[in-house]
């Protein structure tokens, strides 16, 4: 019971961190990176897994609703958020109360780092996603200057108490599930530094250009690949049956002998017995 309470307590701590200025700044950077991706995603239903609290509104089925507001640029008509702490749907990330192949898009916003079994969450996402559907995974970059603070997080403060998920590991997990990586980007190169706004803008531009992989957040877009079995063509050949072949050979041999006998008689030679 203590382990369950500890996990719930960590999720609540992360939910509070997303309400802070640092969390809001990072989500603003990530939303700007997601907007062109979400604009080319089509379908009927979009699932948003997040610990970030939603505005006080219920989910509706129209574009631009409060439930779809955190996903800027989304064209899918029905978008809803799922979280173990509340939202449009309250459920665990590793046990989604959805039918198989019922969602066209899944956005996993920093949920794998704070799960006991990230593989279980990925398997659930694969189960509910339709063939050729897309999944967007947002994760903290452990190789950024900000991500290195987890090694000095002795007080277990948010958001540094989560798992350290590298880019290569995440790509390998998705490849094993049969996903094609379509795009990836690093965001938030200087959004969480305590510096004047002019210096932050300067760092944001130059770090993104010179050290693009030093961003605080890592965003990945993948498509669920469905392999179609290649049809095997049979090369049919019409072969005569055994009886027809034997009869044909016998008739051909007799006709050949009669033809030779006729030539021998005409030439005055004795016929072959």
């Amino acid at each position: 019971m203590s382990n369950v309470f500890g996990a719930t307590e960590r999720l609540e701590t992360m939910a509070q961190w997303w309400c802070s200025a640092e969390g809001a700044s990072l989500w603003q950077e990530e939303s700007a990176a997601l907007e062109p991706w979400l604009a080319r995603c089509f379908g009927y239903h979009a699932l948003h897994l997040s610990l970030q609290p939603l505005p006080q509104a219920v989910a509706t089925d129209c574009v631009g609703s409060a439930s779809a507001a955190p996903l800027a640029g989304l064209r899918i008509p029905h978008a809803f958020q799922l979280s173990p702490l509340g939202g449009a749907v309250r459920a665990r990330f590793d046990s989604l109360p959805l039918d198989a192949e019922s969602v066209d898009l899944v956005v996993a916003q920093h949920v794998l780092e704070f799960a006991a079994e990230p593989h279980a969450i990925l398997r659930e996402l694969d189960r509910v996603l339709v063939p050729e559907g897309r999944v967007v995974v947002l994760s903290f970059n452990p190789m950024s200057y900000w991500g290195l603070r987890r090694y000095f997080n002795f007080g277990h403060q948010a958001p540094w108490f989560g798992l350290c998920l590298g880019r290569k590991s995440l790509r390998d997990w998705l490849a094993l599930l049969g996903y094609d990586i379509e795009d990836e980007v690093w965001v938030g190169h200087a959004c969480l530094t305590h510096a004047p706004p002019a210096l932050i803008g300067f760092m944001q531009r130059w770090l993104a250009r010179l050290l693009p992989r030093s961003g605080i957040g890592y965003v990945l877009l993948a498509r669920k690949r469905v392999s179609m079995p290649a049809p095997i063509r049979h090369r049919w050949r019409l072969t005569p049956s055994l009886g027809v072949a034997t009869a044909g050979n016998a008739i051909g041999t007799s006709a050949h002998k009669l033809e030779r006998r006729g030539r021998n008689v005409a030439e005055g030679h004795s016929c072959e017995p």
Side-chain angles (χ1 to χ4, degrees):
M1 183 67 68
S2 60
N3 293 334
V4 176
F5 178 76
T8 304
E9 194 174 43
R10 290 194 304 168
L11 296 182
E12 292 175 350
T13 304
M14 275 304 303
Q16 296 175 1
W17 183 84
W18 282 113
C19 296
S20 65
E22 291 183 338
S25 178
L26 179 59
W27 176 240
Q28 184 178 2
E29 293 281 342
E30 293 175 338
S31 297
L34 285 179
E35 188 170 357
W37 292 359
L38 299 180
R40 65 174 190 256
C41 294
F42 298 94
Y44 298 98
H45 306 286
L47 172 61
H48 183 196
L49 304 182
S50 175
L51 297 172
Q52 184 179 11
L54 280 175
Q56 297 298 323
V58 296
T60 58
D61 292 345
C62 59
V63 177
S65 63
S67 62
L71 301 177
L74 184 66
R75 296 185 178 183
I76 296 179
H78 178 225
F80 60 99
Q81 182 174 344
L82 185 146
S83 172
L85 302 178
V89 179
R90 183 167 186 171
R92 294 172 52 181
F93 292 140
D94 58 353
S95 182
L96 302 177
L98 302 173
D99 294 334
E101 300 182 358
S102 59
V103 178
D104 301 278
L105 171 69
V106 177
V107 179
Q109 178 190 352
H110 299 278
V111 298
L112 299 179
E113 303 101 311
F114 307 100
E117 296 182 3
H119 304 82
I121 296 181
L122 289 178
R123 286 193 296 267
E124 272 294 281
L125 299 186
D126 180 69
R127 182 185 66 85
V128 302
L129 197 63
V130 300
E132 300 299 326
R134 287 185 171 95
V135 58
V136 179
V137 180
L138 298 93
S139 177
F140 291 109
N141 182 16
M143 303 306 298
S144 65
Y145 68 92
W146 194 71
L148 295 176
R149 293 180 60 178
R150 70 174 63 250
Y151 300 104
F152 306 96
N153 185 29
F154 303 107
H156 299 285
Q157 298 179 356
W160 297 287
F161 51 70
L163 299 176
C164 181
L165 297 180
R167 165 179 172 268
K168 187 178 184 303
S169 299
L170 185 57
R171 291 173 64 96
D172 291 343
W173 293 350
L174 290 173
L176 288 175
L177 290 174
Y179 284 77
D180 290 330
I181 308 301
E182 291 190 339
D183 207 344
E184 59 182 357
V185 68
W186 289 261
V187 298
H189 293 81
C191 65
L192 302 185
T193 58
H194 300 284
L199 181 59
I200 292 178
F202 176 80
M203 293 176 60
Q204 181 75 18
R205 291 191 302 271
W206 283 99
L207 285 177
R209 180 178 301 179
L210 300 178
L211 298 173
R213 298 191 179 187
S214 64
I216 296 171
Y218 171 67
V219 188
L220 182 145
L221 175 66
R223 180 191 286 269
K224 185 177 181 179
R225 181 176 66 245
V226 179
S227 58
M228 299 298 294
I232 300 176
R233 294 182 176 273
H234 295 278
R235 296 184 177 180
W236 299 99
R237 291 189 306 173
L238 297 177
T239 58
S241 61
L242 183 59
V244 174
T246 303
N249 292 335
I251 295 173
T253 303
S254 300
H256 180 65
K257 287 184 177 181
L258 290 176
E259 183 179 357
R260 289 183 60 187
R261 288 180 179 179
R263 289 200 302 268
N264 292 336
V265 170
E267 295 175 359
H269 299 286
S270 61
C271 297
E272 294 179 0

